[in-house]
Amino acid sequence: MKIFKIKPEILFLLLIGICAIFAPVLIKTKSTGALIAPHALLIVIGGTLCAGCIGFSTKEIFRAFVSLKSLFFKKDREEILYIADELVEMAKISRANGVLALREYRDYIRHPFLLNALNCALEENDTKTLEENLRLMSFLENKNDFKNVEIFEELGGYAPTFGILGAIIGLIQISTVNTQPQALLSGIATAFIATVYGVGSANLIFLPVAQKLKNLLEEKLFEHEVIISGILDIANMQSSVVVSEKLNKILVKNEIQNKGRVIPFAA
């Protein structure tokens, strides 16, 4: 499985987003003091994480943040084409020598789900039961990924609310202090920083992260569907030509191409 780091790209975009939000204030006030409010940050981040831990288990929250490492790596986009090639080659072997002849081919498979799917096909003769087992296996493998997306979507909903709560708390504290009008205005501005933290973190971090994880999950699910389709055809003793044509149609429909065309499979 080929991967390469894209960490600079993600961090660069995040930096650009932060600058786009806070740069106008810095230019206008020529001071960072108006943007720094540790107590407001504590209310927003602390409240958001605590609410998340109430809705989900601490283990699930921790696992969701660990999954962020997937944002900094990208799989080889042509890997799905390599998988399709392997499926067609397996169809040739199966059609010529039977499904059990694929036992020796397992040593050449590097994709985990493809290997597990092949093992399942070697153990199960009924194609309907095989399909049910493969889809259950795919669901179990992706269950945590679905949960991770859900967690960041929920955090993105909590953060703005705690931002508003932080602003209200700040205004309540200011209203109880009898001081100069200029100091009151400064205090009000500081109070509303909590709203900026809440809305900003939700729309620049939590919700975009959820969408990115969802996109990665969709790519993985599509990959699993290609494998399941190929394995079922192999179990039904379809020829490599039929498997090749079917996979070509699936890949072209989903615009997975290489230099304008799908890589030709062995026929």
Side-chain angles (χ1 to χ4, degrees), residues 116-137 228 231-236:
N116 292 334
L118 176 57
N119 288 331
C120 192
L122 293 173
E123 296 173 0
E124 182 57 61
N125 296 323
D126 183 64
T127 54
K128 183 177 180 180
T129 303
L130 173 61
E131 181 177 3
E132 292 176 353
N133 291 340
L134 291 177
R135 297 200 179 280
L136 177 60
M137 187 167 60
I228 291 174
I231 290 294
L232 290 176
D233 285 341
I234 291 171
N236 287 322

Side-chain angles (χ1 to χ4, degrees), residues 128-199:
K128 183 177 180 180
T129 303
L130 173 61
E131 181 177 3
E132 292 176 353
N133 291 340
L134 291 177
R135 297 200 179 280
L136 177 60
M137 187 167 60
S138 176
F139 169 76
L140 294 176
E141 183 172 324
N142 295 300
K143 183 175 65 173
N144 290 338
D145 294 331
F146 280 107
K147 182 65 68 174
N148 295 338
V149 171
E150 182 183 358
I151 286 174
F152 280 105
E153 286 179 339
E154 291 299 316
L155 294 180
Y158 297 147
T161 303
F162 281 101
I164 296 173
L165 180 61
I168 294 174
I169 292 174
L171 292 176
I172 291 174
Q173 292 176 338
I174 293 171
S175 65
T176 60
V177 179
N178 185 16
T179 185
Q180 298 298 321
Q182 187 173 358
L184 283 173
L185 292 176
S186 177
I188 292 173
T190 302
F192 279 106
I193 289 297
T195 304
V196 175
Y197 287 164
V199 176

Side-chain angles (χ1 to χ4, degrees), residues 9-66:
E9 176 185 342
I10 296 294
L11 295 180
F12 177 74
L13 292 174
L14 180 60
L15 180 61
I16 291 297
I18 293 174
C19 290
I21 294 174
F22 293 114
V25 179
L26 293 175
I27 294 173
K28 185 70 175 179
T29 63
K30 297 180 180 180
S31 173
T32 60
L35 298 176
I36 299 176
H39 56 286
L41 185 63
L42 178 62
I43 292 174
V44 173
I45 301 302
T48 299
L49 292 179
C50 286
C53 289
I54 293 174
F56 305 92
S57 69
T58 305
K59 182 179 179 180
E60 289 174 330
I61 296 292
F62 178 77
R63 185 171 56 215
F65 278 92
V66 170

